[in-house]
Amino acid sequence: MSSLSRARVARRIAAGAAYGGGGVGLVGAAAVGLVLAEVQLAKRHVGNGHAPYAPRAEGLYGYDSTGACADEPPLRLLLLGDSTAAGQGVRRARQTPGALLASGLAAVAERPVELRNVALPGAQSDDLDRQVALALEDGSRVPDICVIMVGANDVTHRMPPTRSVRHLSAAVRRLRTTGAEVVVGTCPDLGTVEMVQQPLRWLARRASRQLAAAQTIGTVEQGGRTVSLGDLLGPEFEANPRELFGPDHYHPSAEGYATAAMALLPTVCAALGLWPAGEERPDATRNEGFLPVARAAAEAAAEPGTEVAAAMPTGPRGPWALLKRRRRRRLPAADPAPASST
């Protein structure tokens, strides 16, 4: 599917989410049902002696490595979403995406980072309402930056994409209302799951990309930023499944989570104003620039590690966005354990 066709589909899904429309199909219901059956077969390996629970990684990161003053307030990092955000599939807390992002952010900011994770393995986008409410119930712990990773279970459980995007948009809007920055890692590429065979692999990839593009439109319109994880991880996972998938052959391995965290960290830092100013300008040599948000969303869904952020007021062709292909940088090693538990 071309980027223009994907942009049209994403725009229809996002419009349906905004105006309460019905289900705009990603792919045929029967086809998605077959994808669901294959993915569920793959997921039966989860919990079969292979880290069925995500390690608990909440706590304070970066104090010792940054030498920050004890009275310096930490940055508050909140993770929401599904098993990928929770870090299911690895055994050690330091291998989870939350711990990796917290340690990386602390190194860049040179101050401690308090990590909180309310993600729930198996969650779909409609669980974000509960997760946001849980995260915001203590008004004294409003996050500075929120990272949402969700979407795979929406595809495999055939949630209408308009409903999926509606819940994600509402979560981003509510978090942004508190003053928090929001970064969404869009729907991963289910076509990389080893047990999904052709032609279902192609259908899974198509459904994942369409949802990712629609998620981008819904997020950017609410003032958040997105990072495409699907096609960043897709080719790498497909080429190195033994290294980047965990023992359950479904969730990422420690190396896979590190790859995702390296893609998210520059955008997390940029959202907080911590990235070098020179890198915030679009670089024509990397085909970065300003596009209508639907076109930017479609390109991001098909290109590795692409960031999309709101850039201009709505014009004749709708909202505009800045599309960037940030350079990934190696993350510092996560602390062996959080400095303190919450």
Side-chain angles (χ1 to χ4, degrees):
M1 177 181 287
S2 69
S3 61
L4 287 176
S5 297
R6 192 177 296 113
R8 285 194 293 269
V9 173
R11 195 183 301 113
R12 287 171 55 207
I13 294 171
Y19 297 108
V24 179
L26 291 172
V27 292
V32 174
L34 290 172
V35 173
L36 170 63
E38 293 244 351
V39 172
Q40 292 299 335
L41 282 174
K43 290 179 70 174
R44 287 180 186 175
H45 291 277
V46 178
N48 187 21
H50 296 303
Y53 304 106
R56 183 175 176 83
E58 293 186 325
L60 193 65
Y61 287 79
Y63 176 80
D64 291 335
S65 61
T66 64
C69 298
D71 58 352
E72 184 175 2
L75 288 169
R76 292 192 175 98
L77 169 63
L78 172 69
L79 260 70
L80 310 93
D82 55 23
S83 57
T84 307
Q88 187 171 356
V90 295
R91 296 185 180 278
R92 296 177 176 84
R94 66 173 181 266
Q95 298 171 329
T96 62
L100 291 164
L101 285 171
S103 294
L105 179 57
V108 173
E110 297 184 342
R111 61 189 286 193
V113 172
E114 180 186 346
L115 171 65
R116 189 176 183 203
N117 196 325
V118 296
L120 178 68
Q124 300 175 51
S125 291
D126 56 5
D127 192 56
L128 290 175
D129 304 347
R130 180 194 64 82
Q131 293 182 28
V132 171
L134 177 64
L136 299 181
E137 63 183 359
D138 183 353
S140 66
R141 297 180 64 194
V142 174
D144 297 293
I145 180 76
C146 307
V147 175
I148 303 174
M149 302 168 73
V150 75
N153 295 317
D154 297 10
V155 174
T156 61
H157 289 78
R158 289 175 283 184
M159 176 182 286
T162 51
R163 181 182 171 199
S164 174
V165 174
R166 189 179 304 128
H167 283 290
L168 175 61
S169 298
V172 174
R173 180 171 59 251
R174 188 171 177 188
L175 292 168
R176 290 288 293 139
T177 298
T178 69
E181 299 293 339
V182 180
V183 174
V184 174
T186 55
C187 182
D189 184 355
L190 293 177
T192 61
V193 177
E194 287 185 279
M195 290 186 66
V196 177
Q197 303 299 318
Q198 295 289 14
L200 301 182
R201 182 183 294 265
W202 178 85
L203 293 171
R205 176 161 293 146
R206 182 184 177 195
S208 302
R209 288 183 179 181
Q210 288 180 357
L211 180 56
Q215 287 177 318
T216 293
I217 295 175
T219 298
V220 170
E221 288 182 344
Q222 300 303 325
R225 304 182 185 216
T226 63
V227 176
S228 171
L229 295 184
D231 268 36
L232 168 73
L233 301 180
E236 296 185 22
F237 271 52
E238 211 163 28
N240 302 289
R242 296 293 182 266
E243 295 177 10
L244 298 180
F245 277 114
D248 59 29
H249 305 292
Y250 184 79
H251 293 101
S253 65
E255 292 81 3
Y257 279 128
T259 300
M262 281 192 294
L264 288 163
L265 181 63
T267 300
V268 167
C269 293
L272 292 169
L274 298 172
W275 216 236
E279 294 194 19
E280 293 307 293
R281 294 188 293 271
D283 185 343
T285 65
R286 297 205 299 268
N287 294 319
E288 298 178 346
F290 299 98
L291 293 170
V293 66
R295 178 71 180 276
E299 290 202 15
E303 297 182 25
T306 309
E307 174 190 322
V308 180
M312 300 180 183
T314 299
R317 299 177 64 187
W320 283 65
L322 173 61
L323 183 145
K324 287 190 66 65
R325 296 171 175 86
R326 295 188 183 275
R327 296 185 179 90
R328 283 183 279 165
R329 299 184 179 180
R330 182 171 296 278
L331 291 167
D335 298 337
S340 65
S341 298
T342 56

